[in-house]
Amino acid sequence: MFGVGFCLGASNVSVVKINGLNGEIEQAESKAHDGNPKKVLAEYLWDKGYSQADRLAVTGRKFKEIVNLPALSEPEATELAYKFLKKKYPEADFIVSAGGETFIVYKLDKYGKIINVFTGNKCASGTGEFFLQQIARMDLDVEKALELALNQEEEYLVSGRCSVFCKSDCTHALNKGVDKGKVVAGLCRMMATKIIELLEKSAEKRVWLVGGTSRNK
């Protein structure tokens, strides 16, 4: 007896298998869908055998409406996940969801309910998908890009104001022969700054960081 939850995100499909008796997570994995979440979802359902679950549900801002399954809104899913995880981790004032397409900050009350939502500007320059696009232009995968960035003592400054400007900054730097690691480090710094700017709207600083971009050291 088990349940399965899918998160159909802007860049990835994530899946969690839950023990139906005790509610514990038995398995969790994530895969990039490259713009075709239905294909990856079908692979999980049939190749992995998740279709045999007693219960199935989906969430995710972008694609949850494309399948005929019980769906949870992303704020509701975030509240439920927080309730489950705060037994193991310290409580938080904010949850920062840093994904492939959007950075969102959820402000929580003392009961773990979302009472406000902050988002940045709609520019793509600070998102996970934009980061992946830029390192691909440098012929780097994620692991190699972050390895190079972590070895830098200083980063190359890139604009976070506009994705066009940021891309131009990266291109100009590479054309000048700036080390790829410094450019990647600059992209990482710019993304972190965007998150900090969202959090500066409140004095409380107990923060959980979730989403694919949270894996960026």
Side-chain angles (χ1 to χ4, degrees):
M1 183 176 180
F2 67 97
V4 171
F6 292 100
C7 179
L8 308 182
S11 303
N12 298 281
V13 174
S14 301
V15 58
V16 175
K17 180 179 179 180
I18 300 173
N19 187 302
L21 298 176
N22 58 25
E24 294 297 317
I25 294 175
E26 294 184 346
Q27 189 174 346
E29 53 187 307
S30 184
K31 183 177 179 180
H33 58 61
D34 298 321
N36 192 348
K38 281 187 176 181
K39 178 177 180 293
V40 176
L41 179 61
E43 290 173 355
Y44 276 134
L45 284 172
W46 305 120
D47 297 347
K48 301 279 188 176
Y50 289 124
S51 62
Q52 305 304 313
D54 299 281
R55 294 185 178 182
L56 288 167
V58 297
T59 189
R61 295 178 61 252
K62 192 174 181 69
F63 295 117
K64 71 177 185 295
E65 305 299 335
I66 68 174
V67 293
N68 186 23
L69 285 173
L72 291 83
S73 67
E74 191 157 334
E76 183 182 6
T78 300
E79 285 184 354
L80 290 170
Y82 176 71
K83 182 179 179 181
F84 179 83
L85 288 169
K86 73 175 183 178
K87 301 170 186 175
K88 182 177 179 180
Y89 299 102
E91 293 187 355
D93 302 303
F94 297 96
I95 297 175
V96 177
S97 177
E101 187 177 63
T102 313
F103 284 180
I104 301 175
V105 175
Y106 298 105
K107 181 172 174 57
L108 306 173
D109 65 14
K110 63 180 180 180
Y111 305 106
K113 298 294 184 180
I114 294 172
I115 57 174
N116 208 342
V117 180
F118 306 116
T119 59
N121 62 46
K122 300 301 181 182
C123 176
S125 64
T127 62
E129 192 65 29
F130 180 81
F131 178 77
L132 294 177
Q133 291 170 3
Q134 297 315 303
I135 64 173
R137 292 175 63 235
M138 301 179 213
D139 197 26
L140 299 171
D141 60 21
V142 173
E143 289 73 21
K144 184 61 178 178
L146 296 182
E147 177 187 340
L148 292 175
L150 287 168
N151 288 329
Q152 303 301 316
E153 293 184 359
E154 61 181 30
E155 63 273 356
Y156 183 84
L157 184 64
V158 298
S159 171
R161 187 160 51 96
C162 168
S163 58
V164 176
F165 291 160
C166 187
K167 181 178 178 180
S168 296
D169 286 347
C170 294
T171 301
H172 184 59
L174 295 169
N175 288 342
K176 289 195 304 181
V178 176
D179 186 272
K180 290 181 180 179
K182 287 189 176 182
V183 179
V184 177
L187 286 168
C188 294
R189 171 68 67 183
M190 177 269 292
M191 295 166 72
T193 300
K194 282 183 172 287
I195 294 174
I196 292 170
E197 288 173 351
L198 286 173
L199 292 169
E200 285 178 342
K201 297 178 180 180
S202 183
E204 294 99 350
K205 296 299 181 185
R206 297 184 301 175
V207 177
W208 282 12
L209 182 63
V210 303
T213 302
S214 67
R215 298 164 63 187
N216 184 335
K217 294 178 183 180

